[in-house]
Amino acid sequence: MRSTRKSSMTAPLWRWLPAAACMLIIFLLSARTGNQLDGWLPWAQELFPGLKSFDPVHYFAYFVLALTFAYGFGFRRIDARRALYVILLSIAYGATDEWHQAYVPGRSPDWADLLHDGIGAAAAAVVLVVWRLWRLRGSRTRNYSG
């Protein structure tokens, strides 16, 4: 008997558009020179008074990127294996982003940034796996209670 359910690797292409858009935004922001980013910091500090650098932005950007990768795989099918794929894809993109920054004036690759990228992606993966487990537990409770 053949399953009609598609695997996450053959998900419709449109499901990967948010990830492509997120990667494009990260790329465009990474293409900003050091001087351009220094000009943005005071504006960002008005919105977030405790902000001393753009390092925390890595956590947020790669948290979102990981969510978009998970969307591509299918949120409802997220498990430990797919969560690992999400983290690895995010770190791989982060590595290419750091490599890209080596060619941008006033910017340089930084291992700490890649670590922050990985932490943001891992946090998203944990949230998604916990969310899925919570949903599965809730559906089992409803099935047995009634």
Side-chain angles (χ1 to χ4, degrees):
M1 180 188 248
R2 212 172 131 183
S3 173
T4 58
R5 203 170 186 191
K6 291 184 177 184
S7 78
S8 61
M9 295 302 211
T10 59
L13 195 55
W14 62 264
R15 292 186 67 86
W16 293 95
L17 290 177
C22 191
M23 289 187 292
L24 177 63
I25 290 167
I26 290 170
F27 178 84
L28 293 173
L29 291 172
S30 292
R32 300 284 170 222
T33 65
N35 289 338
Q36 288 173 322
L37 287 178
D38 289 342
W40 290 4
L41 189 57
W43 173 80
Q45 287 171 326
E46 284 188 28
L47 290 173
F48 305 100
L51 191 67
K52 295 187 184 348
S53 71
F54 285 114
D55 286 342
V57 175
H58 285 266
Y59 297 114
F60 175 76
Y62 282 82
F63 185 95
V64 172
L65 180 62
L67 291 178
T68 63
F69 282 148
Y71 180 74
F73 285 121
F75 278 134
R76 292 189 178 152
R77 293 187 304 268
I78 199 77
D79 57 10
R81 182 178 51 110
R82 287 184 184 96
L84 181 60
Y85 291 159
V86 163
I87 295 167
L88 292 175
L89 279 171
S90 299
I91 292 171
Y93 186 74
T96 65
D97 183 50
E98 293 303 315
W99 175 74
H100 164 242
Q101 288 180 24
Y103 301 98
V104 177
R107 305 286 301 272
S108 61
D110 187 354
W111 286 105
D113 288 348
L114 189 58
L115 176 65
H116 298 159
D117 300 344
I119 291 170
V126 167
V127 166
L128 289 170
V129 169
V130 168
W131 170 76
R132 180 166 188 250
L133 292 173
W134 177 76
R135 282 186 46 120
L136 288 173
R137 183 175 165 252
S139 68
R140 286 184 190 141
T141 303
R142 282 191 299 273
N143 289 339
Y144 290 124
S145 65

